[in-house]
Amino acid sequence: MQPALFFYNLGIRLYGLAIGLAALWDPKARQWKEGRRGLWGEMAAKLKPGGQRIWIHCASLGEFEQGRPLIEKLKTTYPDRKIVLTFFSPSGYEIRKDYPYADHVFYLPLDTRSNAVKFLEHVQPALAVFVKYEFWFHHLDELKRRQVPTYLISAIFRADQVFFKWYGGLFRHLLHGFAHIFVQERESLLLLDRFKLQNISVTGDTRIDRVLQVQQDARQL
């Protein structure tokens, strides 16, 4: 696993450098970079010690819509729990940074070991939920090390993903860290069966729940 981890860390560093360079002319890359400026100070000011927090991570706006029914159900069922919502992409963060069902909304820092440790020291989650994609090694590995129950919802797996390649051991290791994986369809379940995982359920796409909710809440004008 060590060579794979070396190249993963190298790739993350190069990605950060590439984003910094692209920020010189690309507005979205600039938002990505500027949005993370002062992140640790903001988290320290807003996240006071104590309390039970649930961390929910979405890559972008599409994944947020899939996670939204769960977020709102958690908040109404457990109003005393604080919801910490994170995004990787500006397209999710900028639109939903004032989302009323989340107590705190932040960007997720770049996935380095030190960032993952620092992030989780601030958040101190009792539970973590990742939506569909986003398998950030250091954040997930640190959650596992801290024995924080971590769930993956609305997931889809395809045979061409890194998990199913000969060099995908690093990421296969992450799958065993989830307390439960909820996949959208049976094909994903069958793919994961080869790894002898016992904690998988087929539960469909939560975005459908969101569409039904919008339909039910619609008002006739």
Side-chain angles (χ1 to χ4, degrees):
M1 187 180 297
Q2 290 305 319
L5 186 56
F6 169 80
F7 285 109
Y8 175 81
N9 289 333
L10 178 61
I12 290 292
R13 297 289 185 182
L14 291 175
Y15 181 86
L17 290 173
I19 289 288
L21 182 61
L24 295 174
W25 67 84
D26 183 78
K28 189 173 181 179
R30 192 176 306 117
Q31 279 186 318
W32 190 98
K33 182 181 178 182
E34 293 298 322
R36 287 165 170 79
R37 192 185 301 277
L39 175 64
W40 303 126
E42 181 187 2
M43 294 185 75
K46 293 181 177 179
L47 298 175
K48 303 303 181 184
Q52 293 282 312
R53 297 192 186 105
I54 299 173
W55 172 30
I56 299 177
H57 177 66
C58 308
S60 190
L61 192 59
E63 288 75 19
F64 166 78
E65 289 298 327
Q66 289 180 299
R68 186 170 181 170
L70 176 63
I71 296 170
E72 296 182 2
K73 185 67 174 179
L74 286 170
K75 193 60 180 175
T76 54
T77 306
Y78 307 102
D80 57 319
R81 306 293 174 93
K82 301 296 185 182
I83 301 292
V84 177
L85 175 64
T86 59
F87 290 97
F88 187 76
S89 168
S91 60
Y93 175 85
E94 294 298 330
I95 294 175
R96 291 302 178 187
K97 58 186 175 183
D98 297 317
Y99 177 53
Y101 283 87
D103 297 278
H104 307 285
V105 183
F106 301 110
Y107 275 106
L108 186 73
L110 199 64
D111 187 44
T112 64
R113 167 60 66 186
S114 60
N115 280 352
V117 171
K118 199 169 184 178
F119 178 84
L120 290 173
E121 281 297 319
H122 282 299
V123 178
Q124 294 288 315
L127 182 78
V129 179
F130 281 62
V131 181
K132 193 175 181 177
Y133 297 129
E134 297 284 272
F135 299 95
W136 296 115
F137 178 83
H138 291 298
H139 284 83
L140 288 169
D141 193 54
E142 187 63 17
L143 284 167
K144 182 179 179 181
R145 191 186 71 80
R146 293 168 183 254
Q147 298 182 323
V148 177
T150 303
Y151 298 84
L152 179 64
I153 67 166
S154 287
I156 291 181
F157 291 89
R158 297 285 182 261
D160 59 353
Q161 287 176 302
V162 66
F163 304 100
F164 310 103
K165 305 295 185 181
W166 63 267
Y167 51 82
L170 184 71
F171 289 91
R172 288 193 290 271
H173 164 78
L174 293 179
L175 296 177
H176 292 274
F178 287 105
H180 205 96
I181 298 173
F182 298 92
V183 297
Q184 292 189 26
E185 18 83 318
R186 183 168 172 77
E187 288 76 9
S188 294
L189 175 68
L190 295 176
L191 280 171
L192 293 177
D193 270 349
R194 67 182 68 179
F195 303 141
K196 308 301 181 184
L197 296 168
Q198 304 299 317
N199 55 341
I200 310 173
S201 301
V202 179
T203 52
D205 187 349
T206 49
R207 194 181 307 215
I208 294 174
D209 298 287
R210 174 61 185 155
V211 171
L212 292 173
Q213 181 185 15
V214 169
Q215 182 189 42
Q216 292 167 1
D217 293 344
R219 294 183 179 182
Q220 187 68 36
L221 300 178

